[in-house]
């Protein structure tokens, strides 16, 4: 399963269907439901596992995504700060994380076409069925249909979708095939696991395309070979995180990954320091980076390619340029760039508003700062935010109902 891909960007699938769709639309998408990896692997074909990454229990994938879509461009920004921008006309896609000084560029793919019958029996494709029922969602007329994602050799998955033919389609990194639906999908429910799905809210029609502008003064790393990039020289890793001389990154194709290249470190004389086992990289600061390996474990490395943590983490992502959230054996904590655990043994840690992290312990929720200090003990039954930025709290000591606070009022009541 994919966990962390910032610089090594997973290919997004994109095409444009000619309809009466026009203008620019903004929408907020929220995922619902969770499922354990073990249960998912029993019920879903292997090729489709990545489609469910936003529903995994204990994961660090996006739970909310803001979508901008027009007939020529698409942009998505998730609650973790990952940004994807696609240009339908130029057939290019770009990815970065807010604050990055590197931006990945790749050529758009045309996989998972919408077909009634495949022309090549080896290709995966989509089938759209039973599109006769209509429903209004957020004031927009939608068609309810059954969407099947079919791999002729590996199986299929089915989802009920509600799509708006008058709105341009869009994609998500976990559900890339949505781009080939003839309209924006405003609601989705999984057919096998009925609790899993998403719904779009806060649908707004816009007129300014400035949202699709790429960041200024950033370095573009071209990932596609036909755009002049050469994966064999490991430029993707080298541009992202420069090692101390005489060390340098190298790449090597791994038969277990098909056409994928894994990355390692060697000296100028060719001596291997780290074998080609790294799959992705995310820079923490000039001296530290986070890498994932072929076993989907995460490591902190320094600029001499030395591993800081001695045991691989199941989860590892940065909250600032010094500290990271980690998980091992489903227990969460915060670790610094020197490998010192600042707090550990928690049931879960996830992003919250501002410089706070939400954590769980004994079925209660509290807040941490980015340095691992507990600023609100785990005494609340529920904490969340709404679309207006208000804090939603369920505190049984006060009421069995969810209470709404402005951010200043929440600070005054719980964090002062």
């Amino acid at each position: 399963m994919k966990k962390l891909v910032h610089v090594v960007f997973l290919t997004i699938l994109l095409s444009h269907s000619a309809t009466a769709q026009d203008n620019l639309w903004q929408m907020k998408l929220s995922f619902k439901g969770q499922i354990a990896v073990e249960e998912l692997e029993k019920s879903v074909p292997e090729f489709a596992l990545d489609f469910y990454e936003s529903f995994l229990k204990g994961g660090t994938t996006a739970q909310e995504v803001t979508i901008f879509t027009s007939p020529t461009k698409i942009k998505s920004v998730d609650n973790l700060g990952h940004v994807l921008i696609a240009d339908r006309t130029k057939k290019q896609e770009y990815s970065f994380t807010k604050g990055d000084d590197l931006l990945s560029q790749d050529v758009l793919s045309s996989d998972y076409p919408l077909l009634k019958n495949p022309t090549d029996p080896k290709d995966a494709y989509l089938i759209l069925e039973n599109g006769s029922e209509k429903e209004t969602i957020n004031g927009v007329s939608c068609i309810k249909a059954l969407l099947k994602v079919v791999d002729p050799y590996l199986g299929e998955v089915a989802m009920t979708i509600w799509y708006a033919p008058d709105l341009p389609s869009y994609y998500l990194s976990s559900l890339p095939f949505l781009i080939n639906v003839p309209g924006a999908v405003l609601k989705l429910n999984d057919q096998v696991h009925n609790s899993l799905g998403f719904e779009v809210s806060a649908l707004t029609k816009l007129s300014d395309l400035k949202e699709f502008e790429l960041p200024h003064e950033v370095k573009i790393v071209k990932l596609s070979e036909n755009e002049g990039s050469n994966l064999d020289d490991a430029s993707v890793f080298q541009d992202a995180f420069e090692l101390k001389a005489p060390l340098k990154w190298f790449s090597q194709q791994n038969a277990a990954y098909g056409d994928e290249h894994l990355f390692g470190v060697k000296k100028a004389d060719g001596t291997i320091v780290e074998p080609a086992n790294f799959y992705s990289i995310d820079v923490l600061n000039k001296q530290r980076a986070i890498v994932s390996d072929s076993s989907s474990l995460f490591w902190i490395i320094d600029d001499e390619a030395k591993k800081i943590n001695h045991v691989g983490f199941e989860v590892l992502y940065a909250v600032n340029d010094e500290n990271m959230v980690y998980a091992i054996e489903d227990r969460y904590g915060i670790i610094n760039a020197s490998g010192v655990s600042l707090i550990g043994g928690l049931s879960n840690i996830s992003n919250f508003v501002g410089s706070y992290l939400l954590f769980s312990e004994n079925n209660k929720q509290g807040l941490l700062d980015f340095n691992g200090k507990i600023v609100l003990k785990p005494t609340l039954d529920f904490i969340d935010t709404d679309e207006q930025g208000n804090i939603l709290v369920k505190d049984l000591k006060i009421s069995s109902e969810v209470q709404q606070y402005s951010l200043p009022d929440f600070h005054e009541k719980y964090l002062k």
Side-chain angles (χ1 to χ4, degrees):
M1 300 295 294
K2 303 186 296 292
K3 290 184 178 179
L4 178 66
V5 181
H6 289 171
V7 177
V8 178
F9 176 52
L10 299 177
T11 301
I12 305 302
L13 313 177
L14 195 56
S15 69
H16 177 52
S17 57
T19 69
Q21 303 158 343
D22 59 6
N23 299 301
L24 167 64
W25 294 85
Q26 177 182 350
M27 58 193 80
K28 183 177 180 181
L29 184 155
S30 299
F31 291 93
K32 65 175 183 179
Q34 289 189 324
I35 187 171
V37 174
E38 296 77 14
E39 181 181 351
L40 188 65
E41 290 176 340
K42 294 177 182 177
S43 56
V44 174
E46 184 177 358
F47 86 95
L49 291 176
D50 287 343
F51 302 158
Y52 294 82
E53 67 174 350
S54 292
F55 305 109
L56 294 181
K57 287 183 178 179
T60 59
T61 52
Q63 296 301 306
E64 291 185 343
V65 183
T66 299
I67 305 290
F68 300 87
T69 182
S70 79
T72 58
K73 297 180 184 292
I74 300 173
K75 177 180 179 180
S76 67
V77 185
D78 67 30
N79 58 293
L80 302 178
H82 303 158
V83 182
L84 303 176
I85 297 177
D87 189 317
R88 304 181 197 252
T89 305
K90 296 180 179 179
K91 304 296 183 184
Q92 295 290 314
E93 60 192 15
Y94 306 86
S95 69
F96 58 96
T97 300
K98 289 183 177 180
D100 282 356
D101 54 6
L102 289 172
L103 183 150
S104 300
Q105 176 184 352
D106 209 349
V107 175
L108 300 179
S109 173
S110 56
D111 294 340
Y112 295 101
L114 187 62
L115 303 171
K116 291 184 178 179
N117 295 298
T119 55
D120 188 331
K122 295 183 291 186
D123 290 341
Y125 60 99
L126 304 178
I127 299 177
L128 202 57
E129 297 180 349
N130 306 321
S132 58
E133 185 178 341
K134 292 187 177 181
E135 183 176 333
T136 299
I137 300 177
N138 286 288
V140 176
S141 178
C142 294
I143 297 173
K144 180 181 178 182
L146 182 66
L147 180 67
K148 293 181 179 179
V149 187
V150 181
D151 187 303
Y153 296 103
L154 300 177
E156 67 177 54
V157 292
M159 306 168 185
T160 303
I161 62 169
W162 290 256
Y163 69 94
D166 293 334
L167 274 62
S169 60
Y170 63 87
Y171 67 85
L172 298 170
S173 60
S174 58
L175 299 168
F177 50 82
L178 294 183
I179 193 61
N180 289 328
V181 174
V185 175
L186 300 192
K187 184 178 177 181
L188 179 148
N189 285 338
D190 186 60
Q191 283 284 297
V192 176
H193 305 282
N194 295 327
S195 64
L196 306 181
F198 69 75
E199 187 163 359
V200 162
S201 62
L203 184 62
T204 307
K205 190 174 182 179
L206 305 176
S207 59
D208 192 344
L209 293 177
K210 67 180 182 181
E211 287 292 342
F212 301 113
E213 294 178 0
L214 298 176
H216 299 294
E217 299 181 354
V218 298
K219 183 172 183 178
I220 296 179
V221 179
K222 294 182 179 181
L223 301 183
S224 176
E225 289 183 326
N226 62 8
E227 284 293 321
S229 174
N230 181 0
L231 283 174
D232 287 336
D233 66 9
S235 61
V236 174
F237 272 44
Q238 186 64 37
D239 289 340
F241 188 63
E242 188 173 353
L243 299 170
K244 284 186 177 179
L247 300 177
K248 60 193 305 184
W249 293 101
F250 74 97
S251 67
Q252 182 175 311
Q253 190 170 0
N254 189 307
Y257 286 79
D259 293 333
E260 294 281 0
H261 283 66
L262 299 182
F263 298 81
V265 178
K266 63 182 179 180
K267 295 181 180 179
D269 62 6
T271 303
I272 302 297
V273 176
E274 282 288 344
N277 192 41
F278 296 143
Y279 183 75
S280 69
I281 188 166
D282 188 36
V283 178
L284 189 66
N285 53 48
K286 289 184 178 180
Q287 289 78 39
R288 297 288 190 273
I290 299 168
V291 292
S292 68
D293 64 20
S294 58
S295 301
S296 295
L297 294 177
F298 293 84
W299 306 86
I300 309 167
I301 63 168
D302 63 17
D303 55 5
E304 295 181 340
K306 294 177 181 177
K307 293 179 178 177
I308 306 302
N309 50 309
H310 300 293
V311 178
F313 296 125
E314 299 161 8
V315 172
L316 187 64
Y317 64 93
V319 293
N320 55 30
D321 60 3
E322 181 65 25
N323 298 333
M324 295 149 280
V325 171
Y326 73 90
I328 185 169
E329 296 181 351
D330 294 325
R331 304 302 292 177
Y332 284 73
I334 297 178
I335 192 170
N336 66 20
S338 299
V340 177
S341 178
L342 306 178
I343 189 171
L346 304 178
S347 299
N348 189 34
I349 298 178
S350 59
N351 291 315
F352 197 59
V353 296
S355 58
Y356 298 113
L357 298 168
L358 180 66
F359 76 99
S360 304
E361 194 63 23
N362 298 322
N363 295 318
K364 296 287 186 177
Q365 294 183 315
L367 296 178
L368 302 166
D369 66 17
F370 288 169
N371 294 314
K373 178 182 177 182
I374 296 177
V375 296
L376 176 62
K377 293 181 179 179
T379 58
L380 301 181
D381 297 271
F382 174 82
I383 315 175
D384 202 353
T385 59
D386 63 16
E387 294 173 4
Q388 288 72 43
N390 297 310
I391 311 300
L392 305 177
V393 175
K394 186 175 182 180
D395 186 349
L396 291 180
K397 298 191 297 295
I398 296 176
S399 171
S400 60
E401 300 294 325
V402 174
Q403 306 296 309
Q404 177 180 291
Y405 299 94
S406 68
L407 186 56
D409 288 344
F410 176 78
H411 272 270
E412 179 70 22
K413 185 170 184 63
Y414 287 103
L415 301 181
K416 189 174 180 180

